[in-house]
Amino acid sequence: MSDQNPLPPLEWDSQGVQIQGFSAGLYQIEWLLVTVVILYLVIMGLPDEGGLGVLAATFAYFGFSLLASRLRFFGERQRWLLAIHTWAMIGFITWFLYNTDGVTGPLASLYLLAVVTSALTLGVVVTMLEVAAIAACQLLLLHLLGNDLLTIANLAPVGTSIFALLIVGYLTASLVHAIHVSNRTLLQMASRDPLTGLYNRRAFDELIKPIHQMSKRSQRPYSVIAMDMDGLKRINDTEGHSAGDQAIRDLAQRLMECKRSSDVLARYGGDEFVMLLPETDAVGSKRMMQRLINAVKDDKLSISVGLAAYPEHGNAFEELLDQADSAMYFSKASGGNRVSVKAVS
C-alpha cells in the first residue's frame, strides 16, 4: 500500500496553515493598497509626468490580484506563489513612489504592507531578504530622483524607514512562529497519549473515518484490531505502577516497530491498544498479528488480540470495533497470548 494515505492532518502544519489561511487576507491587503493609491491620486491629482503610466500600473496591479484570487492560485499551498505577490507588491510601490513623492513622501510607509504580509506567511528569512530589497529600492529611488546618497539629510529618512521595517518584520514573524509552536504543542496534547506518544482515542476515531469511507466507495477491505496486555495487574501489584507503565511503553514501542507505515495505531485506554490495517482482510491481519505476538515474546510480553474485518464482519466501524473487542476478550478468556477472529454470523 502506498505511504500516501487519506489521513486528515493531526500534526500542526504551520506552513500549510499560514498559506492556506492567509490567501484571502492577502488579496484584501493588495486591494487596500490599490485603494490607498487611488485615493491619493484622487486627492493629489495625477503627476505631471508619467501620470498615465501610474494609473495604468495601478489598474494592472489590481487586475493581477483579482485574476489570482479568481484562479485560486493557492490551491496547493505553494509558498513561491505567495512570495511572487509580495515581490510584486514591492515593485508596484517602488514604481508608484518613483512617479510621485519618492521615498520622502507620506506613502513610503506602504512598504509595511509587503513586509507584514511576508512576515505573516513566509517567515523571518524571506522577510529580511525583502526588507533588504526594499532598502535597495529606496536607495535607487534617491539616486534616480537626483538626490545625493552621501548626505545625512537624505540617508537619515531611508535609514529610519528600513530600521522600522526590520523591527516590524522581525517581531511579526517571531510572534507568528511562537503562535505556531503553541498550537503545535496544544494539538499534540489533544491527539497524543502522554505515556506512549501514540495517538489517543480521540485522534484514532478521527483518523479512521476517511479510511472507512474510502473502503466503502472502493469496496476494499480493512481490519480493526483490539489488543490488551496480559498480566498488567500482576506487574502493578508485584513491581509497582512505574514498572507497569514501563511495560506499556515497551509494548507500544514494539507495536510501532511491527506496524506498517499505512497502519493506524493508538492507545485506546489503560493497557488496551487498537490498530486499523487498510487494504487487509481477516486472513492477512491474523497472519500479521500472529507475527506480532511472536515478536513481543522476545520482550517477555504477552497480549490478547481480537480482530474483525470490513466488510466480512460488518459495515459500520463501530460494529467492527465491538466485534474485535469481543474477540479480544475471547482470546484473554482462552488463556491469552493468542489471536481470535470474530466468527461470521
Side-chain angles (χ1 to χ4, degrees), residues 16-323:
V17 168
Q18 282 174 299
I19 294 177
Q20 184 185 48
F22 196 71
S23 59
L26 169 67
Y27 303 129
Q28 294 173 4
I29 289 177
E30 290 178 327
W31 298 342
L32 173 63
L33 172 60
V34 172
T35 301
V36 171
V37 168
I38 292 176
L39 285 176
Y40 178 86
L41 294 177
V42 170
I43 295 172
M44 303 300 296
L46 291 173
D48 295 334
E49 295 183 6
L52 292 179
V54 171
L55 200 59
T58 302
F59 283 107
Y61 179 73
F62 178 73
F64 161 75
S65 177
L66 187 63
L67 180 63
S69 67
R70 291 293 180 264
L71 294 181
R72 303 182 182 276
F73 282 170
F74 294 95
E76 298 180 0
R77 304 178 182 179
Q78 298 183 43
R79 297 180 79 231
W80 67 271
L81 288 172
L82 192 138
I84 287 176
H85 278 260
T86 58
W87 287 106
M89 194 181 301
I90 293 173
F92 171 66
I93 295 170
T94 302
W95 172 257
F96 175 76
L97 294 178
Y98 173 69
N99 288 277
T100 53
D101 293 331
V103 295
T104 59
L107 295 187
S109 58
L110 287 175
Y111 282 121
L112 274 172
L113 294 176
V115 171
V116 170
T117 300
S118 177
L120 287 173
T121 55
L122 301 176
V124 175
V125 175
V126 175
T127 301
M128 294 302 103
L129 289 175
E130 293 196 354
V131 171
I134 291 171
C137 289
Q138 292 188 341
L139 291 175
L140 178 63
L141 285 174
L142 283 175
H143 174 70
L144 293 176
L145 296 174
N147 296 301
D148 188 355
L149 298 181
L150 301 180
T151 62
I152 296 179
N154 289 326
L155 285 180
V158 174
T160 303
S161 173
I162 294 304
F163 183 73
L165 293 176
L166 283 171
I167 294 298
V168 171
Y170 180 79
L171 291 180
T172 303
S174 298
L175 178 61
V176 170
H177 176 72
I179 291 173
H180 284 305
V181 170
S182 299
N183 285 335
R184 186 184 300 112
T185 302
L186 291 173
L187 183 60
Q188 183 167 353
M189 292 173 61
S191 61
R192 294 285 179 173
D193 169 53
L195 180 63
T196 63
L198 300 178
Y199 287 121
N200 58 20
R201 181 170 185 163
R202 169 252 170 201
F204 183 81
D205 290 343
E206 288 297 318
L207 287 168
I208 55 87
K209 292 177 183 178
I211 296 179
H212 178 73
Q213 293 300 323
M214 186 180 69
S215 295
K216 286 183 65 176
R217 289 194 300 268
S218 62
Q219 288 300 299
R220 301 293 297 168
Y222 70 83
S223 293
V224 180
I225 312 296
M227 295 169 281
D228 195 85
M229 182 182 295
D230 299 325
L232 180 63
K233 185 178 185 302
R234 177 186 56 78
I235 296 176
N236 287 331
D237 292 343
T238 58
E239 303 180 40
H241 287 280
S242 59
D245 289 345
Q246 186 58 51
I248 292 176
R249 284 193 291 265
D250 291 341
L251 177 58
Q253 180 62 36
R254 176 60 75 174
L255 294 176
M256 283 294 297
E257 293 172 354
C258 293
K259 83 177 192 69
R260 304 169 302 183
S261 60
S262 58
D263 299 334
V264 184
L265 172 66
R267 183 187 178 199
Y268 222 54
D271 56 348
E272 184 176 358
F273 296 83
V274 291
M275 188 183 297
L276 188 142
L277 311 181
E279 298 285 340
T280 310
D281 58 16
V283 175
S285 58
K286 183 177 182 180
R287 188 182 304 117
M288 179 178 174
M289 289 301 104
Q290 191 59 57
R291 289 198 300 267
L292 173 62
I293 286 179
N294 295 334
V296 300
K297 283 182 181 178
D298 298 336
D299 299 329
K300 299 180 180 179
L301 297 172
S302 174
I303 56 175
S304 296
V305 181
L307 66 89
Y310 172 85
E312 182 179 353
H313 300 121
N315 291 317
F317 173 77
E318 293 78 8
E319 178 185 0
L320 294 173
L321 185 59
D322 288 342
Q323 303 274 26

